[in-house]
């Protein structure tokens, strides 16, 4: 479903408005407070502005560590829409206290309110993401998450713009007080329209045991290495985000010589960039979780982050007016790097959140999100500590801190490349296929979302496996001729990709390959074989080898016939006697990947499968 359709659907719209209001309110409150601190005389503050800002950041995220586990257990065991309404009622009370603190200029109370806001957000976080898969279908998960991230960072954008407009006004405290209470009320009213999301354990009796709950929640995550790795990666994103957002006020004032409105402009550039990156991911991925984009996005974050930190103009005039700040040309590259940094962040985060929701068990999803919030809290507290140590203890500058973050992120990128090499290459293959051919896929939904299945396909060119890999929403393990699978340059990568080598002249190799195929199917993986055993020499579909029948007899997995058409006559086919002969003469050919209806293993044999593939291919070679 297109993301625009979700925005007019009651399954999503009230929820979207509710989470948007919460994020907007958080940012109005936090940014008005930070701006007042950054541009208030030092004599009026109990501590230095740098220390106050970093303590404020730490206090806001500390409750995520303290209360997230209990919040996750509650969200998994109670009806979620009512749970959200209780959380939004508490927000009204907290914002009322914050309004009083603004009006009375009580900076100590404002720090306390920040802690309470963090507590309210800690209880909202698990139910916020756990509710989505209950109201959305699986194809809607990626666009739904893209809209949530877009809404969150647009709320940051509007909240920072609003804070920048409020902070310079003579009655800033009164205006901020009225605004945060009004938005809290609006968020509660929208939550009343969220449809019911039934509990997974309706008879559960909750007991307040935060330490036990935290241990239990973290244990849930440890059972699945992919979930834990995803959580750590998301937490690193929030480490970076917290570092940037916290330091922007002082960075703008000290190094760009801008005022409060200029701070809001930079925060807005960053937030709008993330929002656009989130929407762009949904469009580029065709609503699929594509983990190969994560290391690439991480590399872009390092690139733009380092340029943003190191390419600041050395001499700047004092830009008193916002219009002067925006039109001052030497600052435009800085603005561009920050905007591109935000876009890269949006591309980075959406597939990770979608994967976490899809991978989690239904009855543990909120606890997994709670564990994410705990790790987020640890990383964000670490971010605040890093800010205090580097800026207040060591005495580095804020641009130097940003450069250090970019370098550390480059190391994280290398780690991600090591974790997801197959996914990165798969994405590169998809891009390559789109450049070389006009690829159309048909009935890809016939490939099951989970469970083992054997794919049987005609063999037209050396690009066949690449096209199938790019077209499939899941990773495919290919049975490959042993000589190719053991080619020195790519042998290690092919092993990581799960390629199953086979040598038709050695009985031992054949037995090992059949055992590997059987095991992979039993473990719920997709396996593809080209039963002709070689590239077609005339574009027609030749007889299937006897080994296909043996595999079918030994496996209970369904068989999916697939046909590739349109590749005969291209450079990588044997239309000139052998592949890759001469100079390529056909570019951007129309190629179709057609997926047939799955056939039960007991009902499939070579004759039936060959006829199925032939019919799927039709007359087009």
């Amino acid at each position: 479903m297109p993301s625009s359709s979700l925005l007019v659907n009651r399954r999503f719209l009230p929820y979207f408005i509710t989470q948007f209001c919460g994020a907007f309110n958080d940012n109005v409150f936090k940014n008005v407070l930070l701006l007042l601190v950054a541009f208030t005389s030092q004599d009026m503050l109990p501590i230095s502005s740098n220390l106050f800002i970093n303590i404020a950041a730490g206090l806001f995220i500390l409750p995520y560590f303290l209360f997230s586990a209990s919040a996750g257990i509650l969200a998994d065991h109670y009806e979620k829409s009512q749970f959200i309404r209780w959380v939004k009622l508490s927000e009204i009370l907290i914002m009322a206290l914050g309004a009083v603190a603004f009006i009375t200029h009580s900076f100590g109370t404002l720090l306390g309110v920040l802690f309470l806001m963090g507590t309210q957000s800690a209880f909202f976080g698990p139910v916020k993401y756990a509710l989505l898969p209950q109201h959305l279908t699986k194809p809607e998960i990626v666009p739904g998450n893209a809209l949530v991230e877009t809404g969150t960072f647009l709320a940051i954008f509007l909240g920072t713009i609003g804070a920048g407009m409020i902070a310079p006004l003579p009655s800033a405290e009164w205006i901020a007080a009225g605004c945060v209470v009004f938005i809290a009320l609006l968020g509660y009213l929208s939550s009343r329209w969220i449809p019911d999301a039934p509990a997974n354990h309706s008879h559960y009796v909750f007991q307040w045991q935060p330490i036990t709950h935290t241990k239990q929640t973290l244990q849930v995550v440890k059972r699945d290495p992919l979930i834990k790795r995803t959580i750590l990666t998301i937490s690193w994103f929030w480490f970076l985000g917290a570092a940037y957002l916290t330091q922007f006020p002082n960075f703008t004032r000290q190094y760009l010589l801008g005022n409060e409105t200029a701070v809001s402009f930079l925060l807005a550039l960053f937030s709008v960039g993330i929002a656009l990156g989130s929407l762009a991911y949904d469009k580029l991925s065709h609503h699929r979780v594509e983990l190969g984009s994560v290391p690439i996005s991480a590399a872009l974050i390092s690139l733009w982050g380092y340029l943003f930190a190191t390419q600041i103009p050395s001499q700047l005039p004092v830009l008193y007016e916002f219009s002067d700040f925006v039109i001052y040309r030497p600052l435009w590259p800085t603005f561009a790097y920050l905007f591109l940094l935000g876009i890269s962040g949006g591309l980075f985060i959406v597939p990770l959140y979608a994967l976490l929701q899809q991978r989690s068990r239904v009855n543990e999803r909120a606890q997994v999100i709670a564990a994410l919030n705990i790790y987020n809290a640890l990383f964000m507290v670490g971010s605040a500590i890093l800010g205090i140590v580097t800026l207040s203890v060591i005495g580095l500058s804020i641009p130097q801190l940003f450069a250090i973050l970019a370098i550390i992120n480059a190391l994280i990128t290398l780690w991600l490349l090591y974790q997801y090499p197959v996914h990165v290459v798969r994405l590169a293959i998809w891009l390559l296929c789109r450049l070389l051919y006009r690829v159309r896929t048909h009935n890809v939904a016939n490939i099951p979302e989970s469970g083992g299945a054997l794919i049987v396909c005609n063999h037209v060119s050396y690009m066949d496996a690449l096209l199938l890999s790019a077209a499939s929403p899941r990773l495919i393990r290919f049975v490959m001729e042993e000589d190719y699978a053991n080619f020195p340059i790519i042998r290690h990568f092919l092993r990581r990709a799960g390629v199953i080598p086979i040598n038709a002249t050695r009985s031992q190799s054949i037995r090992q390959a059949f055992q590997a195929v059987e095991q992979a199917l039993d473990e719920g993986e997709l396996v593809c074989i080209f039963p002709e055993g070689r590239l077609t020499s005339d574009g027609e579909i030749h007889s299937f080898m006897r080994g296909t029948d043996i595999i079918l007899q030994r496996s209970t997995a369904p068989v999916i016939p697939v046909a590739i058409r349109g590749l005969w006559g291209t450079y990588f086919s044997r239309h000139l006697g052998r592949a890759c002969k001469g100079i390529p003469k056909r570019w951007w050919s129309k190629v179709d990947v057609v997926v047939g209806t799955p056939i039960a293993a007991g009902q499939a044999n070579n004759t039936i499968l060959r006829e199925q593939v032939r019919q799927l291919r039709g007359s087009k070679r």
Side-chain angles (χ1 to χ4, degrees), residues 158-481:
L158 295 174
T160 53
I161 289 292
M165 295 172 64
I166 291 170
L169 298 176
S171 302
E173 294 85 355
W174 285 90
I175 296 172
C179 181
V180 295
V181 173
F182 173 76
I183 298 300
L185 287 168
L186 183 60
Y188 171 72
L189 291 175
S190 65
S191 73
R192 296 189 62 85
W193 290 89
I194 297 175
D196 289 348
N200 298 311
H201 302 286
S202 56
H203 300 295
Y204 178 79
V205 178
F206 178 78
Q207 294 181 334
W208 183 256
Q209 297 174 318
I211 296 177
T212 302
H213 292 163
T214 300
K215 291 180 180 178
Q216 176 183 331
T217 298
L218 295 179
Q219 194 62 39
V220 167
V221 170
K222 289 180 181 178
R223 290 201 296 262
D224 190 329
L226 179 57
I227 284 181
K228 185 172 182 179
R229 185 162 61 243
T230 304
I231 284 176
L232 290 173
T233 309
I234 294 173
S235 296
W236 171 249
F237 170 81
W238 286 107
F239 181 101
L240 288 176
Y244 280 107
L245 294 175
T246 302
Q247 305 305 332
F248 274 168
N250 283 337
F251 170 76
T252 306
R253 178 171 58 87
Q254 296 173 12
Y255 297 94
L256 303 184
L257 306 183
N259 58 17
E260 294 97 325
T261 310
V263 174
S264 297
F265 175 70
L266 289 188
L267 290 169
L269 276 178
F270 186 60
S271 302
V272 171
I274 292 179
L276 291 178
S278 299
L279 288 177
Y281 175 83
D282 180 43
K283 299 297 182 184
L284 293 173
S285 68
H286 300 285
H287 318 309
R288 285 171 22 181
V289 174
E290 183 53 72
L291 290 178
S293 67
V294 175
I296 296 172
S297 302
L300 292 174
I301 289 173
S302 284
L303 172 64
W304 305 127
Y306 189 79
L307 290 173
F308 174 70
T310 57
Q311 300 301 310
I312 302 168
S314 56
Q315 293 183 345
L316 288 171
V318 178
L319 303 169
Y320 294 103
E321 298 296 329
F322 173 66
S323 57
D324 296 333
F325 181 80
V326 172
I327 66 174
Y328 189 64
R329 285 181 177 271
L331 285 176
W332 286 6
T334 302
F335 300 157
Y337 297 144
L338 181 59
F339 183 65
L340 292 169
L341 176 62
I343 289 177
S344 303
L347 294 170
F348 180 84
I349 198 65
V350 171
L352 295 171
Y353 271 112
L355 174 65
L356 207 60
Q357 292 166 14
Q358 292 182 1
R359 182 84 176 187
S360 306
R361 297 178 183 176
V362 174
N363 62 337
E364 295 177 343
R365 189 172 287 130
Q367 293 177 72
V368 169
I369 301 299
L372 169 65
N373 286 342
I374 292 171
Y375 278 97
N376 282 351
L378 289 172
F379 275 67
M380 292 170 76
V381 169
S383 177
I385 292 173
L386 178 66
I388 293 171
V389 170
T390 55
L391 301 178
S392 300
V393 178
I394 300 177
L396 297 180
S397 66
I398 296 177
Q400 287 173 327
L401 170 61
F402 289 165
I404 290 172
L405 291 173
I407 293 170
I408 297 174
N409 189 73
L411 300 177
I412 299 295
T413 301
L414 295 177
W415 177 75
L416 289 171
L417 286 170
Y418 177 78
Q419 296 296 330
Y420 303 114
V422 178
H423 295 83
V424 174
V425 173
R426 182 174 179 270
L427 179 60
I429 289 170
W430 181 85
L431 294 173
L432 175 64
C433 291
R434 296 289 173 176
L435 287 173
L436 294 178
Y437 310 111
R438 287 174 285 176
V439 182
R440 295 181 298 179
T441 58
H442 306 268
N443 306 321
V444 175
N446 286 336
I447 297 176
E449 295 178 353
S450 61
L454 180 68
I455 295 174
V456 174
C457 184
N458 60 321
H459 206 5
V460 188
S461 80
Y462 285 127
M463 294 296 291
D464 294 348
L466 302 183
L467 278 169
L468 286 175
S469 180
S472 171
R474 295 171 56 192
L475 294 178
I476 301 175
R477 295 185 64 180
F478 290 90
V479 178
M480 182 179 291
E481 172 60 41

